[in-house]
Structures are given as C-alpha cells and as structure tokens.
Amino acid sequence: MSLLNGLKILDFSTLLPGPYATMMLADLGAEVLRVESPTRPDLIRDGYPRDGKDSVAHGYINRSKQSIALDLKKEESINIVKKLIEEYDIVMEQFRPGVMERLGLSYEELKLINPKLIYCSITGFGQTGPYRNRAGHDNNYLSISGVASYSGRKNTGPSPAGVQIADVAGGSLHGVIGILSAVIYRNRTGEGQWLDISMTDCSFALNALAGPDYLMGGINPEVESTMLNGGTFYDYYETKDGRYFSVGSIEPQFRKLLCVGIEREDLIELSFSSKSEDQNAFKEEVRAAFLTKTFNEWKSIFELLDACVEPVLTLKEASEHPQIVERNMIVDVPKPNGGYQKQIASPIKSNVFVPTYRHIGAGLGENTEETIGKLV
C-alpha cells in the first residue's frame, strides 16, 4: 500500500515547478497522467544529455507518470479531458492566468463535472494583482520577493543560485503542501477547492528570519549584513588549493571546536565578542587560516571534529558521499525497453512505505490510445 494510493492527478504542467511537484506525489504513490501538447513539447523533454529520444532530466522529473498527447485547441480533446475529470479529481496546471478558462478547462467549469475537484494553479505571480499576466523566471521571482537583494556579495551583488529556489522551494513544495492539505479537507467535508500558488508569494514567504526583523524592527537586510548571509563568520572559506569549506559554527561548543580545528584556540575569546570590529577581525583570522591548508588536509581535520564545518562538494563528490549512499539517495529506475536510469531518489523516508519507481518519464503521448480506450 502506497501513502497516496487512490489519488489520481491530471497534470497539464511543463518545465520544472509543476512536474517536480507531481513527481513527488507520484513517488508517494499517486497516479499521475500528464496531458501534453503533440505539437509543442515540453522543453525539459527536449534537453540534453539524452537517454534515447528524451532528456535524462525528463526521465527523472516525470518518472512513474503516464503521458497522453492532446491538442487542447480542439473540441474533441477538451471533451476527453472533461471525461477524465470524472476520475482524475486533482488537476495541476501552470499556464498563465486565464488560459485554462479560455480553453474551457477552468476550475469553475470542471467542478461542475466533479464537485470534489482539487485544482492547483502554479504561476509566477498568482491569479490576481498587477503582475498576474507578466512573464518571469526563477531569478525574477527571487528579485521581486526581496530574497535576491541580500543574497550575494558586496563587491559582486546578487548571486545566481545553482538550483531553482523559487521554482522548487516556492512552486513545487508549496504546491504539494496545498494539494495534500486540500485532500485532507476534502476527506472531512467532501468539498474540492482551487489552490492559487504564486512562486513570488512563496519566495516572499521564504524571508522567514529577515521578514519579521523588517516588519516589526524596520531592519532592511543587505548583502553580508546578517548572521547567515556573510555578515559574520558563518560563511564559505577558500582553501590553499582553491576549494571551499562551509563554516556554520554558531553555537558556543561548535565555535570552540572551529578554533581548535584551525589551531587558533587563542581566538576563542575574540570569537564570542559582540562588537562588529571583533567579529570582522575573527572572520579575517578564519579566512587566513583556511588558506594555509589544502582541501584534503582540512577534510582530514574536520572529519574528526563535530564543529559544523563541512567541505563544499562537487555533485560527483556528493553522489559518492557515504551519507548520501547510506541514505539510498541514488536509485535505478526502469526504462521501458530494459535497463535502468540512475536518478535521485525521493528524500521522504517512512517506516511504513518505500517509494516504488515504476518507470522513467514516458514518451510523448505514450499512453494516449490506452487512456482514451478506457473512456469508451
């Protein structure tokens, strides 16, 4: 028995936010059917590198899902969707506001067919507001939400993140939370609902520590000005050979061990000073210390100290790290014609459920005939 057995999701989304959300739900046992355009394929599917016809990113993000190809500009396709809604009572869509309405597939239209429908719309700015129809991408949402303004360096400005924070932490994860909350509500009341997930709203909500300080204290954060954005010794430090270590030794016991590790126990008293000039002086001493040894030398030292000091690993190194390996975070997912694709596993662990990865992302429209055949 899967955790989400019985949940059936019709997924109209493309690219990353919606598909990542429905992948998480599929990993937990939900049945997901993607509705894809036969003429305008998902750019993720067309990316590189590829394994066969499709990109490996598509194989991962759309694993365990089925695919039906429908031209939503055609009436017969709309009729097929409306028939599917009788059974698939959760919708994920990521079009700009008003598109689904123009197609005749709005929440108001579809809930007439299935009053228990849960309808999740993920957009850049939401269904309301002056920016509702404005185009955007991950860094735009982080910019509008204020997050980018204090994430970076004084001499270089905002730093591009290596992962899509607004897309995934904003759209995907909040979308999943919203859907599962709506399922619980529906189980209690029998009522469906429309979820309006704005990636900008969700990014704004990620100002979890800076937000209260500004709203109630009037403190507007800037780059390298807070405890956690480089304003203190909580930071990244370059080694002698050009690699980096992360230092997060905030608590007293960890701060002492940091000083032990860099062989500067004489700095312990300075490290506890609340004066900004002393904090800056301590940070410079830490910076200078890390430049005296290579990455591997520091690894050998801090592997033996529980000091909240860890190496900045490449993705290759992270994939081979004993913690990642022990947690089974890389899995083999079956391909349709035999063989496997290595993919990142679901991070959700449970004592009653182990995720089942049925197959990599399906080919475009692979399940069209089968799905339509069941409707007749």
Side-chain angles (χ1 to χ4, degrees):
M1 173 69 73
S2 70
L3 295 181
L4 300 182
N5 186 51
L7 293 192
K8 303 189 73 170
I9 302 167
L10 207 55
D11 183 4
F12 294 86
S13 64
T14 60
L15 299 174
L16 182 58
Y20 192 96
T22 54
M23 177 192 69
M24 293 183 68
L25 296 168
D27 286 346
L28 297 177
E31 183 179 328
V32 180
L33 176 62
R34 298 192 74 205
V35 179
E36 300 190 74
S37 168
T39 57
R40 210 179 86 187
D42 187 349
L43 292 177
I44 291 289
R45 184 187 287 279
D46 281 350
Y48 290 90
R50 296 193 177 193
D51 184 4
K53 290 178 61 178
D54 299 319
S55 74
V56 293
H58 166 266
Y60 163 57
I61 292 171
N62 290 296
R63 67 182 172 209
S64 299
K65 307 173 191 176
Q66 295 187 317
S67 170
I68 180 173
L70 295 176
D71 184 347
L72 297 180
K73 294 179 181 178
K74 295 182 177 180
E75 185 178 356
E76 56 265 35
S77 295
I78 300 303
N79 291 335
I80 289 171
V81 171
K82 289 182 176 180
K83 187 67 176 176
L84 287 168
I85 288 298
E86 296 175 10
E87 184 179 359
Y88 286 82
D89 56 7
I90 300 174
V91 161
M92 169 68 76
E93 68 95 5
Q94 198 177 293
F95 294 110
R96 289 203 203 184
V99 171
M100 289 290 272
E101 183 178 5
R102 289 194 294 273
L103 292 171
L105 297 175
S106 67
Y107 169 68
E108 296 297 334
E109 183 82 16
L110 296 183
K111 79 171 184 178
L112 296 176
I113 300 168
N114 190 338
K116 293 185 176 182
L117 178 67
I118 294 169
Y119 191 104
C120 180
S121 298
I122 297 179
T123 58
F125 298 103
Q127 301 296 311
T128 60
Y131 271 31
R132 66 187 294 269
N133 292 316
R134 194 175 178 89
H137 280 296
D138 194 272
N139 60 348
N140 304 133
Y141 311 138
L142 293 176
S143 299
I144 295 294
S145 66
V147 172
S149 72
Y150 61 101
S151 303
R153 298 292 183 188
K154 290 180 180 177
N155 61 340
T156 58
S159 298
V163 298
Q164 287 65 50
I165 298 171
D167 283 1
V168 176
S172 305
L173 298 188
H174 286 82
V176 168
I177 292 167
I179 287 171
L180 296 182
S181 299
V183 168
I184 294 171
Y185 180 81
R186 184 174 67 186
N187 289 343
R188 289 203 314 261
T189 67
E191 298 177 18
Q193 61 186 275
W194 185 12
L195 299 162
D196 173 9
I197 305 294
S198 155
M199 286 181 273
T200 302
D201 288 357
C202 297
S203 298
F204 186 69
L206 295 178
N207 291 296
L209 297 179
D213 290 350
Y214 166 69
L215 294 173
M216 294 304 295
I219 301 170
N220 198 22
E222 299 177 358
V223 292
E224 296 185 281
S225 68
T226 73
M227 177 185 290
L228 304 180
N229 79 341
T232 65
F233 68 92
Y234 180 103
D235 210 331
Y236 297 97
Y237 294 88
E238 188 175 3
T239 63
K240 186 177 181 179
D241 52 349
R243 297 289 301 273
Y244 285 86
F245 262 71
S246 60
V247 172
S249 315
I250 296 175
E251 294 83 355
Q253 68 272 29
F254 302 136
R255 203 173 305 187
K256 291 176 182 178
L257 287 173
L258 167 64
C259 294
V260 170
I262 63 175
E263 299 180 341
R264 291 296 307 273
E265 292 178 71
D266 60 300
L267 295 175
I268 291 177
E269 184 176 351
L270 180 66
S271 76
F272 286 103
S273 173
S274 59
K275 296 179 181 178
S276 60
E277 58 268 29
D278 289 343
Q279 292 180 9
N280 291 334
F282 177 65
K283 183 170 184 174
E284 287 307 310
E285 294 290 353
V286 174
R287 193 192 311 277
F290 269 94
L291 287 170
T292 65
K293 289 182 172 61
T294 66
F295 182 81
N296 286 332
E297 287 173 328
W298 286 121
K299 272 184 68 178
S300 298
I301 290 170
F302 282 105
E303 280 174 353
L304 304 177
L305 294 173
D306 193 19
C308 295
V309 177
E310 299 293 352
V312 176
L313 301 180
T314 65
L315 185 54
K316 178 181 184 299
E317 290 168 337
S319 299
E320 297 167 354
H321 191 281
Q323 180 66 22
I324 299 295
V325 173
E326 175 67 23
R327 297 286 288 175
N328 298 314
M329 282 304 299
I330 297 177
V331 292
D332 291 326
V333 178
K335 298 196 290 187
N337 298 320
Y340 296 87
Q341 215 178 73
K342 286 196 175 297
Q343 296 184 0
I344 296 173
S346 169
I348 298 174
K349 305 290 192 288
S350 166
N351 69 329
V352 300
F353 168 72
V354 176
T356 299
Y357 309 105
R358 297 186 284 275
H359 52 77
I360 66 170
L364 176 61
E366 184 178 315
N367 309 104
T368 303
E369 290 185 12
E370 171 193 354
T371 302
I372 295 176
K374 291 178 181 179
L375 298 178
V376 177

